[in-house]
């Protein structure tokens, strides 16, 4: 009986810690891979659970590029993203959309209290280089540039 209570307390503590991390502002940052409920392109009212690369952050939401495990080799709108650093266990190949309008994900739709890991540097550079021209720079562009420089090292 005592063992069961201990396990329950450990679970409650983990849930509270996750909630506290979100409550104190643990938010996604550009260059991180997160798990989120990402809106569909065809119907933004519908969302699916996907990994994504955070491209920009703003008040209330982040702009992301969706990651998929569906084979996208040979397509111009996707590049392969290595699993190292963010997905060490699935064993599946992944692709991230590139050169497309980023999807907007409210912070409350991110499913964990911490990122899966960093976006690999080569992929991050390519995402930045092939950013759609139609996407206006965010209001805090100078802050974003400082963050991006810091991420690249």
């Amino acid at each position: 009986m005592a063992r069961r209570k201990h396990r329950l307390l450990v679970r409650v503590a983990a849930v509270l810690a996750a909630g506290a991390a979100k409550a104190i502002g643990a938010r996604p940052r550009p260059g991180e891979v997160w798990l989120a409920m990402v809106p569909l392109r065809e119907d933004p009212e519908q969302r699916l659970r996907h990994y994504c690369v955070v491209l920009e952050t703003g008040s209330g939401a982040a702009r992301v590029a969706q990651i998929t495990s569906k084979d996208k080799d040979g397509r111009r709108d996707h590049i392969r993203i290595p699993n190292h650093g963010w997905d060490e266990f699935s064993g599946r190949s992944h692709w991230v959309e590139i050169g497309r309008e980023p999807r907007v994900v409210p912070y409350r739709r991110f499913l964990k209290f911490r990122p899966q890991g960093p976006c690999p540097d080569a992929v991050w550079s390519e995402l930045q280089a092939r950013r759609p021209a139609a996407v206006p720079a965010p209001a805090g562009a100078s802050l974003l540039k400082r963050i991006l420089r810091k991420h690249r090292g």
Side-chain angles (χ1 to χ4, degrees):
M1 185 69 155
R3 193 177 239 176
R4 207 178 281 166
K5 283 184 183 178
H6 175 72
R7 279 191 228 155
L8 178 62
L9 287 174
V10 168
R11 286 183 188 163
V12 169
V15 169
L16 290 174
K22 281 192 173 190
I24 61 173
R27 286 191 174 170
R29 292 183 289 178
E32 294 177 335
V33 175
W34 282 76
L35 184 62
M37 295 302 291
V38 179
L40 299 177
R41 285 204 183 278
E42 312 79 49
D43 182 3
E45 295 300 313
Q46 292 186 28
R47 294 173 178 81
L48 291 178
R49 182 176 174 253
H50 277 280
Y51 291 109
C52 57
V53 177
V54 177
L55 302 173
E56 302 171 11
T57 56
S59 65
R63 294 165 63 90
V64 306
Q66 179 182 309
I67 296 172
T68 183
S69 59
K70 290 182 182 172
D71 189 336
K72 302 290 183 176
D73 270 346
R75 289 186 50 168
R76 297 176 125 181
D77 59 348
H78 286 78
I79 59 171
R80 190 172 243 155
I81 181 171
N83 295 2
H84 181 71
W86 67 273
D87 178 16
E88 303 290 338
F89 303 105
S90 78
R92 293 191 274 179
S93 297
H94 291 87
W95 291 261
V96 62
E97 56 188 12
I98 190 165
R100 299 183 77 178
E101 180 70 26
R103 300 173 196 229
V104 177
V105 177
Y107 293 124
R108 70 182 181 280
R109 299 286 185 193
F110 284 84
L111 300 178
K112 296 190 174 191
F113 64 94
R114 63 180 178 80
Q116 291 298 117
C119 177
D121 288 337
V123 173
W124 180 248
S125 295
E126 188 73 16
L127 284 168
Q128 295 306 299
R130 291 185 43 195
R131 187 175 178 176
V135 177
S142 61
L143 174 63
L144 180 60
K145 286 179 184 177
R146 285 195 309 255
I147 292 169
L148 294 177
R149 271 188 245 122
K150 184 176 179 181
H151 173 73
R152 287 188 205 134

